[in-house]
Amino acid sequence: MADFDKFYGEDTNSFYYPEPSSVLEKYIGLVSGKNLEALDLGCGDGRNAIFAAKKKFHVLCYDLSQNAIEKIDKLAQKENLKIIATVEDVKKLAFEDNKFDLIIASTILDHLDRKDSLTLILNIKRWLRMNGFVYIGVFTVDDPAYKNKHGLLLDIEKKLISETGDFIRTFFQKNELRELFSDFKEIFYYEGMKEDLSHGNPHFHGLARIFCQKIC
Ligand SMILES: C[S@@+](CC[C@H](N)C(=O)[O-])C[C@H]1O[C@@H](n2cnc3c(N)ncnc32)[C@H](O)[C@@H]1O
């Protein structure tokens, strides 16, 4: 994980992804109640954790990158945000069942081996309280990094790959994320290609995003 650490450490005054995930931004208002608790898994340098904290959530967030967690800590102190950011492997986390009102897993399940990714999904389902919400984003088999791994890209198309494309371990199949959450109430689902101008050279991702609610 030292490689992501390098990206987050390059410019300590700017953020790797400057904006929160747009789907989270649009639907976070659905999460209601008092003393709301959120969990951000593989939080990076905190775009979503910081956004949730500014929406008055108490946030726990975890990432392997020391640089990323230090950045979040610095900002949380400066802006007096309720975020506890910790350097930890998401595979080692343990919480009581029904704890969180909101769980965020933005481009982390695809950075784990498939077995670990599926185990984390089961944990997410347990850690969420009834009627709690989850936001998940993953890269799919449409991603240029997947196609390149399988020799399906022309040389001229290789500039479409993210500079962190090599870190992706599990590319989700078409509709897979949606099916994995078919026991939840779907609020939003999108699957397709998207341009990414937030870091490195302009590139594309094949992605799936879901915002859904625990109902059983
Ligand atoms: C593509 S970035 C996404 C960051 C953030 N969620 C966002 O959307 O901006 C993937 C992140 O997962 C982290 N990561 C990868 N494997 C991890 C693991 N096993 N435990 C914790 N964090 C991990 C990396 O350090 C990196 O910050």
Side-chain angles (χ1 to χ4, degrees):
M1 200 39 51
D3 292 312
F4 261 115
D5 208 38
K6 180 171 128 338
F7 282 111
Y8 296 130
E10 266 172 4
D11 179 353
T12 50
N13 291 316
S14 73
F15 286 80
Y16 186 62
Y17 290 107
E19 302 292 336
S21 303
S22 55
V23 176
L24 182 67
E25 212 170 0
K26 185 163 164 73
Y27 292 105
I28 198 167
L30 294 178
V31 193
S32 60
K34 287 189 178 155
N35 302 317
L36 293 171
E37 285 193 64
L39 170 67
D40 187 352
L41 298 161
C43 55
D45 55 5
R47 59 176 175 153
N48 292 323
I50 291 163
F51 172 71
K54 287 185 176 167
K55 293 282 179 192
K56 307 288 180 230
F57 283 78
H58 293 234
V59 181
L60 299 183
C61 63
Y62 299 88
D63 200 282
L64 284 179
S65 163
Q66 182 82 41
N67 282 332
I69 295 299
E70 278 174 13
K71 262 189 187 174
I72 297 173
D73 269 344
K74 206 166 107 187
L75 193 92
Q77 278 179 26
K78 191 170 141 210
E79 301 202 10
N80 202 19
L81 298 173
K82 292 193 167 47
I83 305 181
I84 300 176
T86 308
V87 177
E88 184 58 278
D89 187 332
V90 294
K91 300 193 290 293
K92 296 189 180 155
L93 297 175
F95 299 103
E96 73 234 43
D97 289 2
N98 306 310
K99 177 173 171 58
F100 294 101
D101 302 283
L102 171 67
I103 298 183
I104 302 161
S106 165
T107 322
I108 175 67
L109 292 166
D110 39 22
H111 284 68
L112 305 176
D113 291 336
R114 178 165 291 274
K115 185 169 158 283
D116 294 325
S117 181
L118 296 176
T119 303
L120 189 56
I121 287 176
L122 291 179
N123 282 334
I124 288 172
K125 291 183 176 190
R126 289 197 294 106
W127 297 339
L128 259 188
R129 71 155 164 85
M130 188 57 69
N131 298 320
F133 291 85
V134 61
Y135 166 67
I136 296 179
V138 294
F139 294 135
T140 65
V141 291
D142 282 333
D143 198 281
Y146 175 86
K147 292 187 173 159
N148 191 42
K149 255 188 193 172
H150 294 80
L152 300 170
L153 278 192
L154 300 173
D155 278 347
I156 195 168
E157 295 175 310
K158 291 190 178 163
K159 59 178 186 292
L160 304 179
I161 306 171
S162 167
E163 88 273 29
T164 55
D166 279 349
F167 304 159
I168 306 168
R169 294 178 182 208
T170 298
F171 292 89
F172 282 64
Q173 296 297 321
K174 291 184 194 301
N175 233 25
E176 185 178 2
L177 182 64
R178 183 175 233 170
E179 279 164 15
L180 284 163
F181 280 89
S182 58
D183 51 342
F184 276 41
K185 180 179 170 191
E186 186 179 303
I187 311 292
F188 174 89
Y189 183 79
Y190 169 79
E191 193 171 304
M193 297 291 290
K194 196 168 184 307
E195 191 181 27
D196 188 347
L197 305 174
S198 63
H199 62 93
N201 294 325
H203 55 276
F204 280 83
H205 282 296
L207 47 80
R209 292 172 172 167
I210 196 164
F211 192 91
C212 56
Q213 185 177 26
K214 177 171 169 177
I215 50 168
C216 61

